[in-house]
């Protein structure tokens, strides 16, 4: 499993809902947590690992008890506002200030297929909004203020150049 990086168009394609809660889904979730921890992130969404399903994992404390699996999540309420630094595993090395709701409630299904609601504040609220955005094909850079986006323009260009380089076919080496 590899991270899909900006500006890969797969990141902007809203994924399909999860319909089947099976062993394969559980394995997918485990692999996503593993990659998230390895990459030092606090959240990861399906499209970021080329898994076009409405699935995200979050753990803002990295304590096993705080692992949060969100299947088919939808935001049901938001309140307050807060500006804070935010990053994304699909944008290595890039951080920007984003305004988000301070408190956010999400309705989702667990791996057992049962519905539940989770309310987060601060970092958890931010992660919930960031991951549900991914599942709607929205990237955090589109939520930057114009000034912030201007400040990060050069870094974004660099990511675009790197990504384009990676798409080129590998040179055939004759032995
Ligand atoms: Zn992200």
């Amino acid at each position: 499993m590899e991270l899909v990086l900006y500006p890969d168009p797969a990141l902007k394609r809203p994924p399909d809902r999860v319909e089947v809660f099976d062993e394969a889904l559980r394995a997918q979730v485990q692999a996503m947590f593993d990659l998230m921890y390895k990459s030092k992130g606090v959240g990861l969404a399906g499209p970021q690992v080329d898994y076009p399903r409405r699935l995200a994992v979050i753990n803002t404390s990295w304590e096993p008890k705080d692992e949060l699996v969100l299947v088919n999540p939808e935001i049901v309420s938001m309140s307050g506002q807060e500006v804070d630094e935010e990053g994304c595993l699909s944008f290595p090395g890039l951080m920007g200030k984003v305004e988000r709701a301070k408190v956010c409630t999400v309705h989702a299904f667990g791996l057992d297929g049962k519905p539940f609601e989770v309310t987060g504040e601060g970092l958890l609220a931010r992660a919930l909004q960031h991951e549900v955005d991914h599942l709607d094909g929205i990237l955090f850079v589109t939520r930057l203020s114009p000034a912030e986006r201007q400040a990060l323009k050069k870094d974004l260009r660099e990511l675009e150049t790197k990504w384009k380089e990676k798409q080129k076919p590998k040179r055939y080496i004759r032995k």
Side-chain angles (χ1 to χ4, degrees):
M1 186 182 279
E2 252 185 81
L3 282 168
V4 175
L5 301 180
Y6 171 83
D8 197 302
L11 292 172
K12 288 197 172 178
R13 244 172 261 140
D16 295 326
R17 287 175 65 85
V18 172
E19 304 287 355
V20 184
F21 295 78
D22 59 2
E23 194 49 50
L25 185 67
R26 277 188 284 280
Q28 177 68 25
V29 162
Q30 197 47 60
M32 283 171 68
F33 271 122
D34 291 346
L35 181 60
M36 187 190 87
Y37 294 131
K38 201 181 100 189
S39 314
K40 309 213 182 308
V42 296
L44 189 62
Q48 292 181 278
V49 291
D50 220 354
Y51 184 76
R53 291 285 180 276
R54 216 172 158 82
L55 172 69
V57 299
I58 291 177
N59 191 342
T60 53
S61 74
W62 283 24
E63 303 266 356
K65 67 173 173 54
D66 291 328
E67 284 193 346
L68 188 57
V69 179
L70 302 168
V71 183
N72 300 333
E74 303 286 349
I75 290 175
V76 288
S77 74
M78 292 193 277
S79 64
Q81 58 188 57
E82 196 167 56
V83 177
D84 208 347
E85 289 271 324
E86 197 168 313
C88 177
L89 291 180
S90 294
F91 295 74
L94 197 123
M95 294 287 281
K97 289 195 181 77
V98 181
E99 186 185 308
R100 299 274 189 191
K102 198 173 177 176
V103 182
C104 170
T105 300
V106 165
H107 179 276
F109 295 84
L111 275 176
D112 54 6
K114 289 189 183 139
F116 69 95
E117 277 191 2
V118 55
T119 298
E121 212 186 309
L123 180 58
L124 179 56
R126 184 165 294 276
L128 288 167
Q129 292 165 79
H130 182 112
E131 299 313 327
V132 173
D133 264 358
H134 269 301
L135 302 178
D136 292 329
I138 300 167
L139 300 174
F140 87 110
V141 289
T142 66
R143 298 209 183 268
L144 296 169
S145 68
E148 192 75 0
R149 188 161 331 141
Q150 189 59 35
L152 292 174
K153 211 171 172 177
K154 197 171 148 264
D155 297 320
L156 284 170
R157 286 256 169 79
E158 265 172 37
L159 290 179
E160 287 161 18
T161 307
K162 263 191 207 161
W163 183 82
K164 273 183 206 140
E165 282 297 319
K166 233 186 135 186
Q167 306 314 304
K168 283 184 187 159
K170 300 261 184 301
R171 193 156 54 100
Y172 180 75
I173 299 164
R174 199 183 292 247
K175 282 191 177 156

